[in-house]
């Protein structure tokens, strides 16, 4: 299974929590997970991915390797988000998305279908 990871932005803690609750209530078991961390560090992002539920059937080592590769290859983006998180203050989280590629593609296609 091939994975993808990206940093999506900075979010207030309560907003992120509410979004996660809504996703849980929808019982959406896609292969897409939104993760968050209080710090913009590799360790914090890895820890957030390690907390993804086991029922996904993911190869956790491959998913973590994807996060590490993102970190190594996107230093400008990481610096940018580190500053945005710092500017936003302590009541905010760095939000990322980890997904298996097929599921993410299906989710995007579903979004496009809903808009037509």
């Amino acid at each position: 299974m091939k994975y993808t990871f990206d940093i999506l932005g900075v979010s207030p803690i309560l907003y992120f929590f509410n979004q996660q609750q809504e996703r849980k209530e929808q019982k959406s078991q896609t292969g897409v997970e939104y993760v968050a961390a209080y710090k913009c560090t590799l360790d914090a992002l890895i820890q957030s991915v390690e907390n993804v539920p086991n029922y996904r059937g993911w190869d956790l080592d491959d998913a973590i390797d994807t996060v590490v590769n993102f970190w190594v290859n996107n230093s400008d983006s990481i610096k940018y988000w580190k500053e945005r998180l710092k500017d936003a203050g302590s009541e905010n989280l760095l939000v990322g998305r980890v997904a298996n590629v097929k599921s993410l593609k299906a989710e995007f296609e579903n979004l496009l279908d809903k808009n037509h």
Side-chain angles (χ1 to χ4, degrees), residues 25 79 116:
E25 288 171 10
K79 287 176 191 173
H116 282 101

Side-chain angles (χ1 to χ4, degrees), residues 1-2 4 31-32 99-109:
M1 194 176 308
K2 187 171 177 164
T4 181
V32 179
N100 75 50
V101 173
K102 284 183 182 179
S103 294
L104 184 59
K105 181 180 177 191
E107 190 168 287
F108 285 153
E109 289 172 352

Side-chain angles (χ1 to χ4, degrees), residues 13-95:
I13 296 168
L14 190 56
Y15 181 78
F16 180 77
F17 176 77
N18 287 335
Q19 291 296 98
Q20 291 294 79
Q21 287 303 111
E22 284 179 24
R23 285 182 59 85
K24 216 179 248 187
E25 288 171 10
Q26 292 172 355
K27 295 187 170 117
S28 172
Q29 296 210 4
T30 66
V32 179
E33 285 288 332
Y34 296 89
V35 297
Y38 287 101
K39 297 178 186 176
C40 185
T41 65
L42 179 57
D43 288 343
L45 292 172
I46 288 172
Q47 185 176 16
S48 69
V49 171
E50 288 175 336
N51 291 325
V52 170
N54 285 340
Y55 65 82
R56 293 276 180 242
W58 287 3
D59 181 328
L60 188 57
D61 289 338
D62 283 351
I64 289 171
D65 284 347
T66 301
V67 175
V68 171
N69 287 333
F70 175 88
W71 190 267
V72 169
N73 294 311
N74 293 282
S75 62
D76 288 342
S77 176
I78 291 161
K79 287 176 191 173
Y80 174 82
W81 288 116
K82 191 175 282 195
E83 285 300 313
R84 297 301 66 79
L85 183 60
K86 181 180 171 187
D87 293 343
S90 63
E91 297 296 314
N92 293 279
L93 298 166
L94 182 71
V95 178

